[in-house]
Amino acid sequence: MASHEVDESTRRTVLVTGGSSGIGAEIARVMALQGDRVWFTYHRGHERAQALLQELNGDEDRGHRAMRLDQGDWTQVRQFVRALPGPVDVLINNAAVGTQTVRADGGGSAASEDERFFQVNCLGPLWLTRLLLPGMLERGHGTVVMLSSVDGAFATFPSFRMADGMSKAAVAFMSRQLAAELVHAPVTVVCVAPGATDTPMFRASTLDRLDDLAREAFMRRLPKRRLIDAGEVAELVRWVCQPEARVLHGAVLDASLGLGVHPGLMTGRGVDSSGGLGDESRRERPASSVRWEPERLQEGDPR
């Protein structure tokens, strides 16, 4: 991947967690393309991570790194930070488990899955930020970006997994709390909350569980009748890491195409056949042949 020419003395190092697929991989690509040194983590998917690393580095070593990390494990997080080859200028807390990946990531019971949601989605970002922030403050600059979700940060979806939404709400809260504590510090904190984004996680948690007719009905109800592209979220994240975005310190950004202000779209309520608001008698309902009910989306994940 070709990148802009940069001065190595001023080149930023960006750490992207969960960077081997989905939104994280797109963030890694856009940050590398603009000349940043990108280190990204992965938990599973070693081959996928190595393929992305090869894409970023090309035929030469541009300093990009792929590093395995289970960020829900405090011992691993502490060892990981100690072993980093250099300081981190930008931390992008993107890694998270969803309602399907949590099962493959240490599930076995509802209680253990709930714990895993909070370990990975909440404690992981907290621990990494806590360990990397002192270095940013000492150097006099830094950026922390948290990836939350419209579910939890802005809206509630009653048929979705409660622990999932709670963990995303905690990320948004952590962003605000950290920004308040750093209001006079030279570190910028911003939270981005995507909506229904075309990622492997969203397909596994939601789309793959619908038949063709149900999927078609679901897509029609999404804002703008489409999924968000992971690259769109990545471009927003890239921009909030620029000096011009410092004015957004403390912001939690709704990047959901409007789902955050109209969560009923996700459950098929409150939209007429033309796509606008209609009275109760004109609102579009799922056709009986579709057999699509909110329960079909139980445990879904907008991200």
Side-chain angles (χ1 to χ4, degrees), residues 22 60 92 97 219 224-225:
E60 57 183 286
I92 301 176
V97 291
M219 294 293 290
K224 314 304 181 185
R225 305 187 191 281

Side-chain angles (χ1 to χ4, degrees), residues 65-245:
R65 297 287 183 268
M67 298 169 280
R68 188 182 183 282
L69 173 66
D70 176 1
Q71 69 176 37
D73 184 315
W74 162 244
T75 300
Q76 283 198 36
V77 171
R78 184 173 51 185
Q79 293 174 345
F80 170 83
V81 171
R82 287 175 176 172
L84 285 173
V88 172
D89 302 301
V90 179
L91 170 61
I92 301 176
N93 283 306
N94 167 77
V97 291
T99 54
Q100 292 299 314
T101 53
V102 74
R103 294 192 175 106
D105 200 41
S109 71
S112 64
E113 291 173 5
D114 291 344
E115 289 179 352
R116 192 64 177 162
F117 273 121
F118 282 89
Q119 288 167 345
V120 176
N121 296 3
C122 303
L123 293 178
L126 173 64
W127 291 335
L128 281 168
T129 303
R130 181 180 290 162
L131 292 173
L132 292 172
L133 182 60
M136 295 181 181
L137 295 172
E138 183 179 351
R139 293 187 298 277
H141 63 86
T143 301
V144 178
V145 180
M146 306 283 193
L147 271 291
S148 178
S149 171
V150 67
D151 177 26
F154 289 99
T156 58
F157 299 87
S159 58
F160 288 4
R161 182 77 174 258
M162 190 177 298
D164 193 3
M166 289 170 66
S167 70
K168 303 298 174 52
V171 171
F173 171 84
M174 178 168 57
S175 301
R176 294 187 180 99
Q177 175 78 14
L178 184 63
E181 294 179 359
L182 299 175
V183 70
H184 294 305
V187 174
T188 301
V189 182
V190 180
C191 180
V192 176
T197 306
D198 189 7
T199 64
M201 181 184 292
F202 184 72
R203 287 193 292 271
S205 68
T206 302
L207 294 183
D208 292 349
R209 304 173 67 223
L210 302 176
D211 60 33
D212 290 343
L213 289 175
R215 188 179 300 112
E216 181 182 352
F218 176 75
M219 294 293 290
R220 283 201 310 268
R221 296 185 185 281
L222 288 177
K224 314 304 181 185
R225 305 187 191 281
R226 70 174 180 89
L227 294 172
I228 299 167
D229 186 83
E232 294 177 288
V233 180
E235 280 295 335
L236 175 59
V237 171
R238 183 195 65 79
W239 187 79
V240 301
C241 293
Q242 305 307 310
E244 297 82 0

Side-chain angles (χ1 to χ4, degrees), residues 28-89:
R29 290 185 176 101
V30 298
M31 301 303 274
L33 186 62
Q34 72 176 8
D36 292 318
R37 181 187 298 105
V38 176
W39 300 339
F40 67 91
T41 71
Y42 66 95
H43 182 202
R44 304 181 189 276
H46 174 77
E47 293 183 2
R48 185 174 59 225
Q50 292 304 308
L52 176 59
L53 182 61
Q54 175 61 40
E55 176 187 337
L56 299 182
N57 276 326
D59 297 329
E60 57 183 286
D61 184 357
R62 295 189 171 95
H64 307 307
R65 297 287 183 268
M67 298 169 280
R68 188 182 183 282
L69 173 66
D70 176 1
Q71 69 176 37
D73 184 315
W74 162 244
T75 300
Q76 283 198 36
V77 171
R78 184 173 51 185
Q79 293 174 345
F80 170 83
V81 171
R82 287 175 176 172
L84 285 173
V88 172
D89 302 301

